[in-house]
């Protein structure tokens, strides 16, 4: 064998091996990119599901809840399809079962008027924000109509507003009941500020602002200290470690919120 033939005989297998390694590396990179993309979709589905769980607990507007549940189901399907084939060894049904959520939505027991604390108010804002963002995406993808999206958004924003105002009012009533005028005043001011800065008009807004003004004035003129149904509702929320769904009322609890 000539020298050239020997070189070719040695170089060709080496070149083929190197080419195979390059192609394998590219496949691995592509698969890793697929995994990262799929992971982002799944995280979005998990976050939206957590928001839906919270919404089911505090409210009972079934129409919007079912729409969000359908979006959650869709996201888990997209996650399954985004995975590399060798990683996709389970069905979307095995990954997420919507049936328990539909049962809870049909029961419609989410009737919490007040939230447990300032911390839970912040938690509620985050969860409602996730749902509002999801509704915008759903409208862009034609999963819901623009009119439905606007209706749902208005309802959710008003619902969150009412719960925030009622919670701060209840906290003010509790403070007033124990004679803590400064704390009560601050809570009433916080509730009034939310109402004043809210950019949607609704019939009860001005009356609620007047009521808070009267409550504040009564603290300084010897009027009756408020501790009515809102304060009782707040007391009940604080005492209950778990809500009727078996979920911890502390949004930062380490226990996983599941149905």
């Amino acid at each position: 064998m000539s020298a050239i033939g020997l070189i070719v005989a040695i170089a060709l297998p080496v070149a083929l091996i190197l080419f195979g390694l390059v192609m394998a590396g590219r496949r691995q990179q592509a698969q890793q990119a697929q995994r990262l993309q799929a992971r982002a979709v799944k995280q979005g589905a998990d976050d939206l599901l957590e928001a839906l769980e919270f919404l089911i607990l505090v409210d009972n507007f079934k129409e919007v809840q079912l729409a969000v549940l359908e979006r959650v189901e869709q996201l888990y399907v997209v996650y399954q399809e985004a995975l590399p084939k060798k990683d996709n060894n389970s069905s979307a049904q095995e990954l997420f079962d919507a049936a328990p959520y539909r049962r809870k939505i049909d029961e419609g027991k989410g009737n919490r008027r007040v939230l447990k604390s300032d911390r839970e108010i912040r938690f509620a804002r985050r969860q409602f924000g996730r749902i509002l963002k999801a509704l915008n995406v759903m409208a862009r993808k034609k999963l819901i109509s623009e009119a439905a999206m606007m209706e749902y958004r208005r309802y959710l924003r008003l619902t969150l507003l009412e719960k925030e105002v009622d919670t701060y009012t209840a906290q003010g009533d509790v403070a007033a009941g124990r004679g803590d005028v400064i704390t009560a005043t601050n809570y009433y001011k916080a509730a009034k500020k939310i109402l004043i800065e809210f950019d949607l008009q609704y019939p009860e807004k001005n009356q609620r602002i007047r009521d808070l003004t009267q409550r504040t004035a009564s603290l300084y003129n010897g009027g009756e200290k408020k501790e009515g149904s809102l304060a009782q509702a707040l007391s009940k929320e604080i005492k209950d470690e778990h809500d009727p769904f078996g979920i911890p009322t502390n949004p930062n609890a380490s226990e996983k919120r599941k149905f």
Side-chain angles (χ1 to χ4, degrees):
M1 180 181 293
S2 67
I4 295 177
L6 181 61
I7 292 173
V8 171
I10 296 173
L12 184 59
V14 171
L16 291 174
I17 291 173
L18 291 175
F19 178 76
L21 291 174
V22 169
M23 295 303 296
R26 288 180 178 177
R27 283 196 298 270
Q28 289 180 350
Q29 289 179 346
Q31 290 174 354
Q32 183 60 23
Q34 280 184 277
R35 293 187 185 99
L36 291 174
Q37 183 180 17
R39 192 177 304 161
V41 173
K42 185 176 184 299
Q43 184 62 56
D46 291 342
D47 290 344
L48 187 56
L49 179 60
E50 180 183 59
L52 176 62
E53 289 176 347
F54 183 76
L55 182 62
I56 293 172
L57 296 177
V58 299
D59 192 58
N60 54 17
F61 186 13
K62 297 179 182 180
E63 186 176 333
V64 67
Q65 292 172 3
L66 289 171
V68 174
L69 179 58
E70 289 180 6
R71 176 59 175 164
V72 171
E73 288 185 277
Q74 182 189 53
L75 285 173
Y76 280 116
V77 171
V78 172
Y79 162 69
Q80 289 290 111
E81 294 174 347
L83 284 171
K85 290 184 178 180
K86 70 175 184 179
D87 294 354
N88 197 341
N89 53 13
S90 62
S91 67
Q93 178 67 25
E94 292 173 331
L95 180 65
F96 174 68
D97 183 8
Y101 295 89
R102 284 199 172 86
R103 286 196 296 269
K104 293 301 180 184
I105 292 172
D106 288 340
E107 290 171 3
K109 293 183 178 179
N111 57 359
R112 289 177 58 188
R113 185 175 179 184
V114 299
L115 302 173
K116 187 168 70 75
S117 63
D118 294 358
R119 178 179 295 175
E120 193 173 30
I121 287 176
R122 292 191 294 271
F123 183 76
R125 288 172 181 167
R126 185 165 68 251
Q127 303 305 337
F128 273 65
R130 285 173 173 169
I131 293 176
L132 292 172
K133 182 178 179 180
L135 290 174
N136 288 336
V137 174
M138 291 163 68
R140 288 201 304 270
K141 292 180 177 292
K142 308 300 182 182
L143 302 174
I144 58 175
S145 68
E146 190 75 17
M149 184 269 288
M150 296 299 292
E151 177 190 350
Y152 297 160
R153 283 183 59 85
R154 178 178 174 83
Y155 176 84
L156 290 171
R157 291 189 62 200
L158 286 172
T159 298
L160 180 59
L161 171 77
E162 290 288 343
K163 293 186 188 303
E164 289 186 61
V165 172
D166 283 343
T167 301
Y168 283 136
T169 302
Q171 290 172 321
D173 290 350
V174 170
R178 65 172 182 263
D180 189 344
V181 174
I182 294 176
T183 299
T185 299
N186 288 336
Y187 278 125
Y188 293 151
K189 284 183 177 178
K192 188 175 178 180
K193 183 174 184 289
I194 292 173
L195 284 165
I196 292 173
E197 294 180 351
F198 191 64
D199 59 356
L200 294 180
Q201 290 295 325
Y202 69 106
E204 297 83 5
K205 180 176 181 178
N206 291 335
Q207 181 56 48
R208 298 218 62 177
I209 291 174
R210 285 193 294 269
D211 175 67
L212 288 163
T213 300
Q214 292 171 358
R215 285 173 186 253
T216 302
S218 70
L219 296 172
Y220 296 93
N221 60 17
E224 179 183 356
K225 302 295 187 297
K226 298 283 186 180
E227 193 171 0
S229 60
L230 283 177
Q232 293 170 0
L234 178 62
S235 177
K236 179 179 181 300
E237 291 298 333
I238 292 175
K239 288 179 181 178
D240 289 345
E241 293 184 358
H242 292 76
D243 52 56
F245 297 90
I247 296 176
T249 54
N250 180 359
N252 288 335
S254 59
E255 182 179 344
K256 177 68 175 176
R257 288 182 298 279
K258 289 184 178 178
F259 288 106

